[in-house]
Amino acid sequence: MTGRRSVETPIEDTFTKYLTDKGKGDAGEEGAYRTDGERELNRFRRWCLGKTADSANASPAESWAGVVDGDTVRFADLDTTVFSDYARYLSTAGYAASTVLTYYAHIASWCGWAHAQGYLPRHYARESDAEDPLPENDGRRPGDQQAWEPIHRDLVTQFVDRRVSEAFDELGAIEVPHTDRGDPESELWQAKQRARFKAYQRCREQALVYVVAYTGLRGSEFLSAPKEDREGRDGVRWRDVSFADSSVTVFRKSREWKEASLPEPVIAPLKRYAEVLEVPDSWPVFTTLHRPSLASHVTSGLADAGLDDDDAIERVRAGAPDLIVAAEHDLDAPKPLTTDGGRSIMERLWTHDALAERRDELDLSLDGDYLELHGGRRGVGEVLVRQFGYAAAARYLDNSEEQVREAYQHIEAAERADMATEAFSQTDQRVSDQ
């Protein structure tokens, strides 16, 4: 990176160049985009300097001191947390959702430009943690966004429970003579290992579904978020799980390690998953099962472990699926399952013929094509708000109470409607007669 495009460059020194680049075309330098962009960049700079009140990130709002101590904001001062806090500020400033997204889009565009120009190492503004506080903009009300309902949780958990039971039945049905156990050339032993791997796959699916259905965790908090190349976004490890405390240590959107709860329904599936294949506690809880990746990982791992003969490596790999080989030969941890991989599993389960048939029998509707990861989190929030209120739900979901009230305002609106109806029933004869 040249000195001219250094992280020590004051951000305002780039505004004119960015606006000139983006202001080309029919609109020219005096176009609306340039005018709006300049306004939003200056708003962002003032916020960074603490020259505006911010109730979302400081209490009282007037105590907001910005993100720097002096009077200059440099690129070195910016990271994902800064953009996340700014998104939170915009989201709670009283603007409509579409306005918030428009204002933030100007800042994100400038951030992307700065990354491309060499001022920033990453496009911080478009990382998932940065965008998490932003409102949805799909034209739907908060209550219309996907949230798993009890019937959804029951249906999908019963489905994965049955698949786990069937897999263990198949595993138990394969009898291997003592003389064949551990023999990679034994067909019975190979069949047993394949059945064991299938049981592992089914337990992984089951554990994933239960975590999504009952913990309220964000996908990036327990699965790998490959676009965010930093610690805490590469999937939780078994060492992070405490069955004794019913908790898991996760890297929250605040960029802090915190204990998240594992409700009772999650414990048994996770324990079963942990027991089906004994792995080091440094391994991801949810590993990738991508065959080419595992094949490469195991082949290179066995070579590093001293098996430098290709035939010897292939004999070992022929005896069991690669994941089991990696576990039993104490190889390094395989790659974790990504958030995209988690979504694919949920989609594959929801569209499975057996589950689709059951859904049709129940005439079950769903907002979306499959049960989404964030829909599970919203479903948890729905239950907690209704049962224990906004403050308790906010603590559990690791959100501010203000954000939770915004996300679940349809619940409060319904409660206010009931309250008004009750009040009018005491004063208006026509209402009391209904």
Side-chain angles (χ1 to χ4, degrees), residues 194-237:
R194 287 193 297 270
R196 184 183 178 194
F197 178 67
K198 183 177 180 180
Y200 177 88
Q201 288 179 295
R202 297 293 182 257
C203 287
R204 187 185 71 145
E205 291 174 352
Q206 184 188 44
L208 175 69
V209 166
Y210 274 79
V211 166
V212 176
Y214 295 105
T215 67
L217 289 173
R218 302 171 180 88
S220 61
E221 290 174 342
F222 69 96
L223 300 175
S224 171
K227 294 181 181 178
E228 302 176 34
D229 185 20
R230 57 193 173 92
E231 184 183 12
R233 286 293 180 259
D234 57 352
V236 294
R237 310 284 153 158

Side-chain angles (χ1 to χ4, degrees), residues 142-143 145 378 382 399 402-410:
Q145 298 168 27
R378 284 189 60 82
E382 288 267 351
N399 257 338
E402 187 173 13
Q403 286 177 299
V404 172
R405 284 187 178 277
E406 174 69 22
Y408 300 97
Q409 58 184 270
H410 57 287

